[in-house]
Amino acid sequence: MAKAPVLTPQAEDFPRWYQDLINKAELADNGPVRGTMVIRPYGYGLWERMQQEMDARIKEAGAQNAYFPLFIPQSYLTKEAEHVEGFAPELAVVTHGGGKELEEPVVVRPTSETIINDYFSKWVQSYRDLPLLINQWANVVRWEMRPRVFLRTSEFLWQEGHTAHATYEEARDYAARIHTDVYGDFMKNVLGIDVVLGRKTAKERFAGAINTLTLEGMMGDGKALQMGTSHELGTNFAKAFNTQYLSKEGKQELVWQTSWGVSTRMVGGLIMSHGDDNGLRVPPRLAHIQVVVMAIKGDEAVAKVRELGDQLKAAGIRVHVDDRVDTPFGRRAVDWELKGVPVRIEIGPRDLENGTAMLARRIPGGKEPVQITELLDLLPKVLDEDQAQLLRESRERRESRTTDVATLEEAAEAAIAGGWARIPWADLGPEGEAKLAEQAVSVRCLIAEDGSVPVADDAPGTLAIVARSY
């Protein structure tokens, strides 16, 4: 009788495979309140590495970290009409505290444009105070009707950046810088996901924004996932909160603003982009454990893997030593395979006699014996090769499953079949976008013919990327 697979095969049931992997790789559990999640240590380790890489890029772009309250007076959200309308269905509202009814209900933070603008209006007085570039790492609550771990949860972790500038051009350029130099660079060169950078349609823009820039990734089943967004807010929130500055010419002017964010949704994107029927595959530049050194059995093997682990750590490799010889080796190997650690180095008594170790590579697969003395030189090359392979696979999947079409019907057919469609926006337009929505197909973003981000929805030659999405 054939042994049952550890995970439901992707081709059989992709959503079930996704949930199986999260459980078996010990990434997360469902929380006690519907729509919440508990992120387990291995899953949180992935998020911590994302934080570290993103935080460095955000600071390089000039932003400083701060923290703002979780509770926001309900009246703040009503100051910007489009904003409150967009978030109203998702709000969690507190009406009682300390056993008493509150004088004014407070909203549990769904995003922080309103409360941060209240403070920006106090902090910004002169052109000398600009640009003001603030980021915060926090949790947010958006009451989710159809939860899915990491992808859509009622509470999730994220970073949200908020900035104020003297001119429209400065704000526009900064939103674009975050889009490309921070998010685009991180997602392609660390996550190994060949995201498409584009512009959201008016229908898909962030509530209260004049423009939204997006990064869309194709998942293993051909659906799209919005991996992050950067918004131009214009002066909408500045008007609502009277955020003004005294210009060099001595005039009171409204500031121009941006906001931008990515979240733990990226962990879901990582799983669905790189995972296979054997589990997760973690890009080496992201992995908090790049190499696991495993003792198969025997005291001498345990001593050797500990020694080797110390050498690899000293060389700057993120390594974990698995010397649990009282646990069957096969079980441990399957667990590390599920977790997607890029490289396993396996050492047993016979290997020690030969001065070799078995090198198992998770991303391309396969094993080969190598001299232990060669590992320090070999591993950096292996990790670089495997990082490049994941990005290449992501690009090849997207390109092979994206079809150029000429009609609304062809666009819907391509998306429903499990791929993306490219269609001239002039041929689709808002009316076609509305018709696609009836079939659970959406315009993910607008791009120029050369793949760049168009300056306007109606820019000549603009193409729409059409897909089903998460």
Side-chain angles (χ1 to χ4, degrees), residues 315-331:
I317 293 173
R318 296 186 291 276
V319 64
H320 176 83
V321 173
D322 184 347
D323 55 8
R324 300 169 296 160
V325 291
D326 55 342
T327 300
F329 173 76
R331 175 181 169 183

Side-chain angles (χ1 to χ4, degrees), residues 57-96:
R57 287 165 172 78
I58 289 168
K59 287 173 178 171
E60 182 67 24
Q64 300 181 81
N65 286 339
Y67 186 79
F68 293 82
L70 175 68
F71 296 127
I72 302 173
Q74 192 173 44
S75 60
Y76 281 29
L77 270 76
T78 63
K79 290 187 178 183
E80 211 291 324
E82 186 179 347
H83 189 69
V84 70
E85 182 181 353
F87 278 99
E90 300 176 316
L91 297 180
V93 182
V94 179
T95 59
H96 289 72

Side-chain angles (χ1 to χ4, degrees), residues 396-446:
E396 290 172 351
R397 177 175 63 240
R398 178 176 56 78
E399 291 177 346
S400 67
R401 297 177 73 169
T402 299
T403 306
D404 287 300
V405 301
T407 68
L408 179 69
E409 291 73 23
E410 290 173 339
E413 183 179 344
I416 292 169
W420 291 8
R422 267 190 308 254
I423 183 172
W425 175 242
D427 294 341
L428 186 64
E431 290 185 4
E433 183 178 20
K435 290 180 181 178
L436 285 175
E438 296 173 1
Q439 302 181 68
V441 175
S442 58
V443 177
R444 303 311 307 156
C445 64
L446 303 175

Side-chain angles (χ1 to χ4, degrees), residues 233-254:
L233 302 179
T235 58
N236 290 343
F237 288 91
K239 291 173 184 174
F241 287 85
N242 195 32
T243 310
Q244 300 185 66
Y245 71 98
L246 186 67
S247 72
K248 290 180 180 179
E249 293 72 32
K251 295 181 179 179
Q252 288 292 330
E253 304 279 359
L254 291 169

